[in-house]
Amino acid sequence: MASYITDIAVSLNQAEEQNLQARGFKKINVSLNPGGNPVHIWYKKNPEADPITRIQVSFEDGMCDGLINAGYTKVNRNLSTGGEVFLWYFSSSTEFDTNIVRSRCLHQH
């Protein structure tokens, strides 16, 4: 059985990175904030949980209500220093969803 990504998190500093690593998360080693403070996405695979099938980003309050109503889970770490930008994910296993997997290209520079 394939192992799909089931949890995602975001780190904004070294202490958060250490915490996520200790909890079994793996870092995607590309910063979302090149040239500034590193912002990394982390993921975990749990064969007993529904896979993540959709990822969204919110950048204004009105978007949050829609994502909550649609069943998305918010990663509660602001990705921006200039405003509020949040990552959201949706977990499902219907015939219409495609499971998100880690790509080999994420390790290329």
Side-chain angles (χ1 to χ4, degrees):
M1 180 179 172
S3 181
Y4 299 107
I5 293 173
T6 57
D7 297 290
I8 56 176
V10 172
S11 66
L12 303 177
N13 58 50
Q14 188 68 29
E16 291 175 356
E17 287 191 10
Q18 291 173 351
N19 178 281
L20 290 168
Q21 187 174 25
R23 293 175 30 215
F25 281 83
K26 295 183 182 187
K27 179 168 75 170
I28 298 174
N29 203 17
V30 176
S31 177
L32 298 176
N33 187 25
N37 292 334
V39 176
H40 289 99
I41 296 178
W42 294 68
Y43 68 93
K44 190 191 283 192
K45 297 178 179 182
N46 178 353
E48 298 175 11
D50 283 336
I52 293 175
T53 56
R54 301 175 211 164
I55 296 176
Q56 294 286 333
V57 176
S58 66
F59 49 88
E60 56 183 53
D61 289 339
M63 298 173 76
C64 297
D65 292 337
L67 291 165
I68 290 168
N69 291 336
Y72 280 78
T73 301
K74 181 180 181 181
V75 178
N76 203 16
R77 302 300 296 143
N78 187 1
L79 303 177
S80 173
T81 56
E84 291 194 350
V85 178
F86 292 96
L87 189 64
W88 298 71
Y89 65 91
F90 184 82
S91 299
S92 181
S93 57
T94 72
E95 64 181 298
F96 304 106
D97 292 309
T98 301
N99 304 328
I100 295 176
V101 296
R102 186 186 124 277
S103 171
R104 291 181 183 263
C105 70
L106 293 173
H107 291 287
Q108 297 174 352
H109 296 281

